[in-house]
């Protein structure tokens, strides 16, 4: 896909699939970059919009989980 992207950098489909592969590998920021490019090239590309929502949700869940751990650690530390 990287080579295909170099050969046809204006293909929203290639950027979409690149985003999908990166998302499936847990590379959320890289997936988001590829999906944003797909969306820029084809704003009506529903599959790119749909997958972008999943990527955003994954990032927000990760941030929320990290915040919960910090809060739990602070609460636990204050009980000693």
């Amino acid at each position: 896909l990287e080579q295909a992207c170099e050969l046809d950098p204006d293909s929203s489909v290639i950027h979409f699939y690149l985003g999908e592969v990166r998302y499936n590998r847990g590379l959320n920021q890289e997936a988001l970059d590829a999906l944003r490019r797909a969306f820029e090239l084809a704003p009506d590309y529903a599959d790119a919009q749909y997958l972008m929502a999943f990527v955003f949700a994954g990032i927000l869940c990760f941030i929320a989980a990290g915040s919960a751990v910090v809060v739990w650690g602070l609460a636990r530390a204050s009980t000693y």
Side-chain angles (χ1 to χ4, degrees), residues 1-73:
L1 282 173
E2 297 285 345
Q3 287 180 332
C5 198
E6 289 175 16
L7 292 172
D8 191 1
D10 294 329
S11 170
S12 61
V13 174
I14 293 171
H15 286 281
F16 167 76
Y17 283 115
L18 190 58
E20 185 175 41
V21 167
R22 290 173 175 171
Y23 172 71
N24 288 331
R25 290 184 177 172
L27 304 170
N28 287 338
Q29 186 57 55
E30 293 85 349
L32 195 55
D33 293 342
L35 292 167
R36 279 187 182 141
R37 182 66 180 139
F39 181 72
E40 289 171 1
L41 294 167
D44 59 341
Y45 195 174
D47 289 340
Q49 295 172 7
Y50 185 74
L51 186 54
M52 207 180 319
F54 275 94
V55 175
F56 275 125
I59 290 170
L60 291 175
C61 286
F62 180 76
I63 291 169
S67 296
V69 169
V70 169
V71 169
W72 180 82

